[in-house]
Amino acid sequence: MIPLLVCALIGLYAAARVVFESETPRKLLYLNVLNFAIAGSIVLLIPDIMALFAAAAYFVGSTLESNAIASTWAGGVKRT
């Protein structure tokens, strides 16, 4: 129960920082932390091996999404 509480508190803090942060790079950082907290909470809430696979799939998908957002924000791929 304590690890789930820690994940939830970290997730709530990260969500608040995403909403109230004015700088986009910091928003992306806290969005990534929020994704870590959600994936950890999935594993801790559901006592099944499939929850591990679901959390891994969520984590990979959210990481790819965060990388795509960061790449787009940074200007994308430079073509010569």
Side-chain angles (χ1 to χ4, degrees):
M1 186 69 176
I2 293 175
L4 179 59
L5 181 63
V6 170
C7 274
L9 289 175
I10 291 171
L12 287 173
Y13 177 73
R17 290 296 299 256
V18 166
V19 170
F20 296 116
E21 188 64 49
S22 61
E23 297 178 23
T24 302
R26 285 189 177 212
K27 279 188 180 195
L28 294 175
L29 173 71
Y30 287 110
L31 182 63
N32 212 6
V33 171
L34 180 62
N35 288 328
F36 278 120
I38 291 172
S41 296
I42 289 172
V43 172
L44 292 171
L45 278 173
I46 304 170
D48 188 22
I49 190 69
M50 292 305 289
L52 181 65
F53 295 125
Y58 175 82
F59 178 72
V60 169
S62 65
T63 300
L64 291 175
E65 178 187 9
S66 295
N67 288 343
I69 291 170
S71 175
T72 301
W73 187 78
V77 176
K78 306 286 190 238
R79 300 185 191 244
T80 58

